Amino acid sequence: MFRGLFCFCAGLAVSAVAGLGAAQAAEIQWYGQAAFKITTSGGKVILIDPFISRNPKTPEALKDLGQLGKVDLILVTHGHGDHVGDTPKIAEMTGAKVGMNADLGQSFRTLGVVPNEQLIRFNKSGPIQPIGEGITVTMVRAEHSSEYVFTDPATGKKRVVPGGEPAGYIIELEDGKSLYHAGDTGVFADMAFIGSYYKPDLALLPIGGHFTMDPTHAAYALKELLKTKQVVPMHYGTFPPLKGTPEEFKAALGDYDGQVVVMQPGDTLDF
Ligand code: ZN
């Protein structure tokens, strides 16, 4: 879909191109930060880290959770507020299954954050097919932290509860294509394993720095370890500390033979 070494497509162009895509393509929409909506070729809807209603980068028109429509699966990479985001509300509205590391799931179950019957508690390297045989989700390592701040609905008081270990996800779709959502992560050597074993067609990588890889680390991760040929930078520009930019990422990649697709929040991409 995107030709040339690097595609710095304007938002409108990405959306317009996506609209002309083949009927079989999946569609990936970015809401800003690490929040993505994947609509698969089979019509399943997967949200990852749905930080939407309070995300300063999400377009106003998309902040109404009602516009999400049906949701089959929500995947949460770790317990931080800009990743759990609207998960409890969307789970309640849609009845979606909600996957996360087993320990964060235990906190959610114990505290009633998400109904137990919707929770999928799993862990790294055990592929699951939570919404039918065509779609496989595998949790992979991330180099980060994970705690969850729970607000007691009865008292309004906040307390910090265990969030287990942070994670990324490999999602294989009905047509066999797969994507890697890295979650929040620093660079780590096992990214080479993720690249060689899962061979994702697309990587969604944080580049903002401070809490995650900065553009230079993300470029190293892509060039030397993952070697994925299409990448969408994420987790930058949302808050002042997340200073990394796609331009810095591109510069750090140098002559890497891949495509950087720079999306604007709200944009969709055919996949
Ligand atoms: Zn985080």
Side-chain angles (χ1 to χ4, degrees):
M1 184 63 66
F2 294 97
R3 306 199 194 289
L5 212 53
F6 295 105
C7 179
F8 279 79
C9 307
L12 194 60
V14 175
S15 295
V17 169
L20 297 172
Q24 296 301 311
E27 184 184 89
I28 298 175
Q29 187 171 25
W30 188 42
Y31 282 72
Q33 198 68 338
F36 289 86
K37 177 184 184 183
I38 303 168
T39 304
T40 76
S41 61
K44 300 288 190 186
V45 177
I46 302 168
L47 299 180
I48 309 172
D49 287 353
F51 173 53
I52 295 172
S53 66
R54 299 175 67 191
N55 184 335
K57 290 295 182 182
T58 301
E60 285 303 319
L62 295 180
K63 287 188 176 182
D64 171 14
L65 301 179
Q67 59 78 33
L68 287 167
K70 81 148 186 166
V71 178
D72 297 290
L73 176 65
I74 303 169
L75 296 170
V76 179
T77 61
H78 63 291
H80 293 159
D82 56 327
H83 295 261
V84 173
D86 299 295
T87 294
K89 184 70 183 168
I90 298 168
E92 182 187 333
M93 291 171 66
T94 65
K97 294 182 177 177
V98 186
M100 66 192 68
N101 85 69
D103 302 351
L104 179 62
Q106 190 69 276
S107 289
F108 274 28
R109 179 159 72 182
T110 306
L111 297 167
V113 177
V114 171
N116 190 40
E117 59 272 20
Q118 288 170 248
L119 270 177
I120 302 169
R121 299 172 54 245
F122 67 128
N123 224 312
K124 295 162 197 164
S125 299
I128 62 171
Q129 296 186 319
I131 50 174
E133 283 186 6
I135 297 169
T136 301
V137 179
T138 308
M139 188 183 292
V140 294
R141 181 181 170 189
E143 186 68 24
H144 192 62
S145 60
S146 179
E147 65 183 11
Y148 179 65
V149 179
F150 174 70
T151 303
D152 189 323
T155 65
K157 285 190 173 171
K158 295 180 188 298
R159 62 190 164 102
V160 177
V161 300
E165 291 201 345
Y169 290 106
I170 298 286
I171 305 172
E172 186 178 336
L173 301 179
E174 297 99 323
D175 59 4
K177 292 182 85 173
S178 63
L179 64 92
Y180 168 47
H181 186 296
D184 274 7
T185 191
V187 65
F188 55 96
D190 279 357
M191 283 178 167
F193 160 75
I194 291 171
S196 68
Y197 188 80
Y198 298 106
K199 298 183 173 57
D201 299 289
L202 169 68
L204 312 175
L205 296 185
I207 65 160
H210 195 97
F211 297 105
T212 70
M213 299 189 290
D214 66 1
T216 306
H217 285 78
Y220 179 89
L222 187 68
K223 280 175 77 168
E224 306 295 336
L225 303 172
L226 291 164
K227 304 182 180 178
T228 309
K229 291 304 180 190
Q230 190 175 40
V231 60
V232 172
M234 64 170 181
H235 210 276
Y236 63 91
T238 318
F239 305 111
L242 310 186
K243 290 183 171 58
T245 65
E247 291 72 26
E248 291 167 340
F249 180 50
K250 178 195 170 193
L253 279 171
D255 61 356
Y256 182 63
D257 178 22
Q259 297 171 318
V260 179
V261 181
V262 179
M263 300 176 76
Q264 302 301 318
D267 279 354
T268 56
L269 165 68
D270 269 8
F271 176 62

